[in-house]
Amino acid sequence: MAAAERRSSRGEDTEQVVLTGPKKVAALLLSMDKRIASRILKHFDEDDIKLIAQTATDLGAVTKETLDALIEEFANHLRTGGDLVATAHEVEALLSGVVPPEQIAEIMTQVRSKSLQSIWIKLGEVPELSTAQYLAKEHPQVSALVLSRTPPAYAAASLKMLPGPLRNEIMRRMLALKIVLERPIQILEGAVKEELLYKSAKNTGPTIHARLADIINKMDRKQMDEILSDLDEHRPKEAELVRSLLFTFDDLLRLSQPALVTLFDGVPADRTITALFGAEPRMIDLILEATPARARRMIEQELATGKKASAREIQKARRAIADAAMEMIEKGIIEIGASEEEGME
């Protein structure tokens, strides 16, 4: 090492050494146990090893003070900042000074390409609800671009949770998508990582919207309408998200006949009877058609007697059936069909 780059071990007034780029790598490797250093070197390619070897040969003597400072700098990088968040920018900075600029550009092009592919694969592990909530807050063009890169089944599941008009607009924009330049894709990559992948990893519990919907689902119709009306007035976007997560007894009308048959095959007849007290004729007919023949006759006979149940018992029975339907929907056993309103959009 040049005299100007090192501090004299005899305590002379010399300039503090500054190790940069490959010199830092060479110095750290030389200071390690040979077995550990050899294991690390196996991860470098041939050109990098040649560069490190040449740099180490030219390094000369490094004072203990300089080496301690280098190790302390390395340790500080590990201690600060909490969790490590590796980004393409950080990787590029790491390679700077170690690998020639033209090689860095080639490496980073390949890295970004693989990184983009991996993001959309990892996105499939994020709950569809989280993705739907993210998309509802973004511009429809951004949502279209995100969903155009996800697996079709995942995109469909996320879209189902969005309001009809927004869902339709996103689909139209997906149809009209053009080739997107690399820079916007990089920005989108960073946003998806930050807003979906990282946050989803930290928050594995139900979202506040899902929690609120679950609470509202347990209320009677009057209370539910009052709360939703208030949300519509003060938090309209949030209200849309909550509405998309609600499923009440009245929403059984949104299920197809095969889905209703599957649902009521597991519902006890006495619960169905209680739930149908005071129900609209259309709902009664729909459920009776989906009920096994033997249970259907029993239900019809009970309803014909004119007996009544308390409002609390009716609400409890209807809530239990709605919960059973929602559980089947979440497990993918049945699906929600398009409502009449959505079909006219």
Side-chain angles (χ1 to χ4, degrees):
M1 181 182 293
E5 286 189 324
R6 56 178 191 265
R7 174 183 294 175
S8 170
S9 60
R10 297 189 298 273
E12 296 172 357
D13 232 358
T14 56
E15 203 177 327
Q16 172 68 44
V17 68
V18 177
L19 294 178
T20 58
K23 291 183 179 180
K24 288 186 176 182
V25 178
L28 280 173
L29 288 171
L30 288 171
S31 67
M32 292 179 185
D33 181 277
K34 289 184 179 180
R35 290 173 298 177
I36 297 176
S38 298
R39 286 163 57 188
I40 293 175
L41 280 171
K42 289 180 181 179
H43 296 280
F44 289 87
D45 61 31
E46 186 178 348
D47 290 338
D48 293 336
I49 292 174
K50 288 179 181 178
L51 176 62
I52 292 170
Q54 184 62 55
T55 303
T57 302
D58 297 336
L59 194 60
V62 179
T63 65
K64 181 179 183 301
E65 290 83 359
T66 298
L67 190 58
D68 287 346
L70 177 59
I71 294 173
E72 183 64 25
E73 177 189 349
F74 181 71
N76 281 334
H77 279 299
L78 294 180
R79 284 198 298 264
T80 57
D83 297 337
L84 173 65
V85 179
T87 64
H89 178 73
E90 295 292 336
V91 174
E92 191 169 358
L94 176 65
L95 295 176
S96 181
V98 179
V99 180
E102 60 275 10
Q103 192 174 351
I104 291 178
E106 182 181 350
I107 291 172
M108 293 312 298
T109 298
Q110 296 175 0
V111 166
R112 286 193 174 99
S113 176
K114 291 181 180 178
S115 176
L116 280 172
Q117 294 173 9
S118 66
I119 282 177
W120 309 120
I121 293 174
K122 290 178 181 177
L123 186 57
E125 301 173 3
V126 175
E128 291 89 344
L129 174 59
S130 298
T131 299
Q133 291 173 343
Y134 170 73
L135 298 178
K137 298 175 183 177
E138 293 295 325
H139 190 281
Q141 189 70 16
V142 173
S143 301
L145 185 54
V146 169
L147 292 179
S148 70
R149 292 170 175 267
T150 62
Y154 185 84
S158 301
L159 282 167
K160 282 182 181 179
M161 299 182 181
L162 296 175
L166 176 58
R167 180 170 62 243
N168 293 340
E169 182 176 359
I170 291 173
M171 294 294 286
R172 290 195 299 269
R173 288 177 179 271
M174 287 178 67
L175 192 62
L177 279 176
K178 307 296 182 183
I179 296 176
V180 183
L181 297 177
E182 182 180 357
R183 181 55 183 161
I185 289 295
Q186 291 174 7
I187 295 174
L188 178 64
E189 172 192 7
V192 170
K193 277 185 177 180
E194 180 66 27
E195 296 297 325
L196 284 173
L197 300 186
Y198 295 157
K199 288 186 178 180
S200 177
K202 293 178 181 178
N203 181 22
T204 55
T207 66
I208 188 61
H209 300 91
R211 178 67 176 163
L212 189 62
D214 192 40
I215 292 172
I216 295 176
N217 266 332
K218 303 295 189 292
M219 297 179 174
D220 61 41
R221 192 71 203 187
K222 182 180 179 181
Q223 293 172 330
M224 180 184 293
D225 290 341
E226 288 177 355
I227 291 174
L228 291 175
S229 177
D230 183 76
L231 286 175
D232 283 334
E233 181 180 352
H234 296 95
R235 305 287 290 274
K237 290 185 178 180
E238 305 289 346
E240 287 289 350
L241 286 173
V242 172
R243 283 182 187 277
S244 69
L245 300 172
L246 292 175
F247 192 91
T248 66
F249 184 75
D250 292 340
D251 288 319
L252 294 178
L253 296 172
R254 299 167 58 193
L255 297 179
S256 66
Q257 192 63 24
L260 286 170
V261 170
T262 301
L263 171 63
F264 280 94
D265 187 52
V267 177
D270 58 342
R271 181 175 297 166
T272 302
I273 293 168
T274 303
L276 289 180
F277 281 132
E280 296 180 2
R282 181 188 173 194
M283 178 69 79
I284 295 175
D285 292 341
L286 197 67
I287 291 178
L288 287 177
E289 289 177 10
T291 305
R294 185 175 179 180
R296 184 188 312 161
R297 287 193 294 271
M298 182 193 307
I299 295 170
E300 288 174 333
Q301 289 172 2
E302 286 294 323
L303 293 177
T305 62
K307 293 180 181 178
K308 292 183 179 181
S310 67
R312 183 176 180 180
E313 290 175 336
I314 293 173
Q315 176 66 20
K316 184 178 179 181
R318 291 180 178 181
R319 182 67 261 154
I321 294 173
D323 286 344
M326 195 62 187
E327 184 177 352
M328 286 187 174
I329 292 168
E330 290 174 350
K331 290 181 178 179
I333 299 174
I334 60 176
E335 293 185 356
I336 299 177
S339 66
E340 291 182 356
E341 290 80 3
E342 291 175 357
M344 294 186 294
E345 288 174 351

